[in-house]
Amino acid sequence: MVWTQTGSYVAVKGFNITSSDPNTRIGIEWLGGHGLIQGNKVHDIQCSGCVGNGGAGINVDNGSAYTTADSNIVYNIDIRGKGGAASLYVHGIYVHTYYNVISNNLVYNCAGWGVEQGHQVSNSTIVNNTIFECGGGVMLGTGGSSGTSNNNVINNNILVYNGPGYSGH
């Protein structure tokens, strides 16, 4: 990870996050609750060693409920792997916890989904994002588990020129 945030009630605003290390998997790893990730530029995360382990420009991870990712620019996330099996789980913004807001972000040139929410996540809001040239646009799911994803709001997003992911996934 380039930036790992573990504290709660923290705002990270206006940073330029990138890595020249081809093995970097995540730009911002967010582990604290009630956070704000705003106005950052997260780009050129190569993730060449992911081999199915996943990665993201911004990863709103377990334990980070009530976090907002707003007005960020996320691009060139594992772009060389786009369309390949090893990059299936490398997303622009990846959310796997509850009660989050993903809004007003510009996400493009990502190998996986522009915004992916998985692992039985519920009560999230995904609005006013522009996503293009990614492996897919917006995806909600349960990450292969038997649970559900409920009470999510997805409105007013612009999704254009996104693919179906690897092998239609």
Side-chain angles (χ1 to χ4, degrees), residues 9-40:
Y9 298 96
V10 174
V12 172
K13 299 167 85 173
F15 285 88
N16 185 356
I17 306 288
T18 190
S19 177
S20 60
D21 182 349
N23 295 312
T24 300
R25 293 178 43 228
I26 297 172
I28 298 175
E29 170 75 359
W30 202 270
L31 298 167
H34 302 271
L36 176 63
I37 308 162
Q38 186 176 54
N40 300 289

Side-chain angles (χ1 to χ4, degrees), residues 21-25 45-51 54-56 77-78 87 90:
D21 182 349
N23 295 312
T24 300
R25 293 178 43 228
I45 304 300
Q46 297 175 48
C47 203
S48 66
C50 287
V51 193
I77 308 301
D78 191 23
S87 298
V90 182

Side-chain angles (χ1 to χ4, degrees), residues 116-138:
E116 198 270 345
Q117 175 179 293
H119 306 287
Q120 304 180 62
V121 176
S122 297
N123 302 297
S124 287
T125 302
I126 302 170
V127 295
N128 302 325
N129 299 288
T130 300
I131 301 167
F132 64 94
E133 293 292 337
C134 293
V138 174

Side-chain angles (χ1 to χ4, degrees), residues 39-113:
N40 300 289
K41 184 188 292 185
V42 182
H43 59 97
D44 298 300
I45 304 300
Q46 297 175 48
C47 203
S48 66
C50 287
V51 193
N53 291 328
I58 298 172
N59 189 34
V60 182
D61 212 335
N62 296 324
S64 56
Y66 299 97
T67 292
T68 296
D70 179 68
S71 301
N72 298 287
I73 301 172
V74 179
Y75 64 95
N76 294 347
I77 308 301
D78 191 23
I79 195 61
R80 290 185 181 176
K82 188 175 175 183
S87 298
L88 182 63
Y89 303 109
V90 182
H91 312 297
I93 300 174
Y94 186 21
V95 180
H96 40 109
T97 190
Y98 301 90
Y99 298 101
N100 293 293
V101 177
I102 309 301
S103 59
N104 304 305
N105 297 288
L106 175 62
V107 181
Y108 62 95
N109 286 339
C110 299
W113 295 90

